[in-house]
Amino acid sequence: NGDDPVEALNLSMRVRRIALDNFGADNIAPGQPLALLHETLVPVYLHHRFQLTAATKIIGGLHYNYALNGDGQDLSRPIDPALQRQALEAVLACIDPIELDLSDEILELVHPRPFGYSGNRELFGSSTSPAFDAVGAAQTAAHIAVRGLLHPDRCARLVDFHRRDDSMPSLEEVFATIIAASFGDSADSNSRIQELRFVIRNVVVVELINLAQNTNATISVRSRADEALNGLVMEFEGDPHVRALMDLIERYQRRELNSPLSPARALPVPPGDPIGMAPELMDDWCGWSRPG
């Protein structure tokens, strides 16, 4: 989708906004239950997910070829630091609560499922059944972005690339940018947006804790995740709006959490590719079999 994954993500978000602004009853055939709009809404709401993955790979990314000795291909090198920072900004724009909010016009159309129309894996999970879970959908979208940014291998590359060239974004810088985007000043936000912001903050805190506890992450990464969590506690101690999250961090610091966390009843992410392909059909379609 173009030579620039960052611009492609920005374009994908603009297309997503147009699709959401025009989303309505005409997105299903006449006479069909309005509940079926849920199936249509998922790929529209997550329209950007593949470009989000592409842009995330820029951060801590590496240019390389499968070169042969003497074939003259370029040597491997980290991606330009300015482009990495642009990618980080574009990825974090995807978890802006205003972008993740769904209008009442859409929510009033996505009805509960009637008898004979059971749920399926192409739908968003819900903690508000039978109503559509708009907050859960926002949490799912935020989780895709934050978990991608905080992948242990990506974080380790950020540490190493910055060690070799201090013009490269450091892991501390990436943590600080994520925290600023999710915990920044929001005093003027209304309660509708504040609730989504709290959910996004929860995703950030939980994924930082999971990274700090991840035994597959390097000690350099885990120690920096610890530092980021300590910084959050010191910065927001006494703030009633984030007290629950600070309590969660302090429980982790006291080592009361013995297993990886999920963002408060994390909802499953609807499958992305191949669209509509049930897992039991994958063996024949791909020509491979799962190990027994």
Side-chain angles (χ1 to χ4, degrees):
N1 294 329
D3 295 330
D4 186 340
V6 177
E7 179 50 38
L9 175 58
N10 291 333
L11 175 61
S12 183
M13 289 296 287
R14 293 194 294 271
V15 171
R16 173 184 179 273
R17 176 48 53 194
I18 293 170
L20 286 174
D21 288 345
N22 289 278
F23 191 87
D26 289 341
N27 289 105
I28 57 172
Q32 292 293 311
L34 284 173
L36 296 184
L37 282 170
H38 193 163
E39 278 93 335
T40 308
L41 180 59
V42 170
V44 173
Y45 190 77
L46 297 179
H47 171 76
H48 63 299
R49 68 188 300 178
F50 302 113
Q51 282 306 137
L52 175 66
T53 299
T56 301
K57 290 180 178 180
I58 297 294
I59 303 155
L62 182 73
H63 278 296
Y64 65 94
N65 301 299
Y66 293 111
L68 301 176
N69 188 16
D71 67 2
Q73 293 193 68
D74 291 338
L75 301 176
S76 64
R77 66 189 187 282
I79 290 175
D80 179 77
L83 182 57
Q84 291 193 50
R85 292 183 172 96
Q86 291 170 17
L88 180 58
E89 180 180 354
V91 169
L92 291 175
C94 297
I95 64 170
D96 186 317
I98 294 175
E99 289 291 345
L100 296 181
D101 192 23
L102 284 168
S103 68
D104 286 338
E105 289 78 9
I106 291 177
L107 297 176
E108 288 165 0
L109 285 172
V110 186
H111 286 206
R113 302 182 78 76
F115 292 107
Y117 291 85
S118 58
N120 61 72
R121 63 194 293 269
E122 305 289 342
L123 307 178
F124 284 118
S126 178
S127 299
T128 60
S129 182
F132 178 81
D133 189 351
V135 174
Q139 180 197 59
T140 297
H143 186 248
I144 294 171
V146 176
R147 193 167 195 177
L149 287 172
L150 298 183
H151 189 284
D153 291 355
R154 185 180 326 286
C155 292
R157 290 195 303 272
L158 284 163
V159 171
D160 186 45
F161 293 168
H162 181 73
R163 174 187 70 86
R164 293 158 51 188
D165 179 355
D166 62 12
S167 72
M168 294 288 168
S170 65
L171 182 55
E172 291 91 336
E173 177 186 340
V174 170
F175 285 161
T177 306
I178 295 171
I179 289 168
S182 52
F183 282 84
D185 183 21
S186 57
D188 58 345
S189 296
N190 57 38
S191 58
R192 180 190 188 103
I193 296 302
Q194 285 281 28
E195 188 62 33
L196 297 183
R197 194 179 302 278
F198 178 78
V199 168
I200 294 164
R201 289 171 171 176
N202 176 74
V203 171
V204 170
V205 166
V206 165
E207 288 304 321
L208 279 171
I209 291 175
N210 284 342
L211 182 61
Q213 294 185 119
N214 190 337
T215 56
N216 291 321
T218 67
I219 188 61
S220 297
V221 168
R222 296 177 67 183
S223 64
R224 285 169 171 82
D226 265 330
E227 290 175 9
L229 291 165
N230 288 335
L232 269 172
V233 170
M234 289 188 290
E235 183 173 356
F236 291 99
E237 189 173 15
D239 186 334
H241 296 293
V242 294
R243 185 64 253 172
L245 297 180
M246 298 307 104
D247 287 343
L248 181 61
I249 295 173
E250 289 168 355
R251 285 177 57 207
Y252 155 70
Q253 291 173 330
R254 294 193 297 267
R255 298 302 186 265
E256 295 176 6
L257 305 175
N258 297 318
S259 60
L261 300 169
S262 295
R265 294 186 62 193
L267 302 172
V269 180
D273 56 334
I275 299 294
M277 183 67 72
E280 60 270 17
L281 301 179
M282 286 291 288
D283 292 353
D284 293 337
W285 185 75
C286 293
W288 51 259
S289 298
R290 289 186 189 83

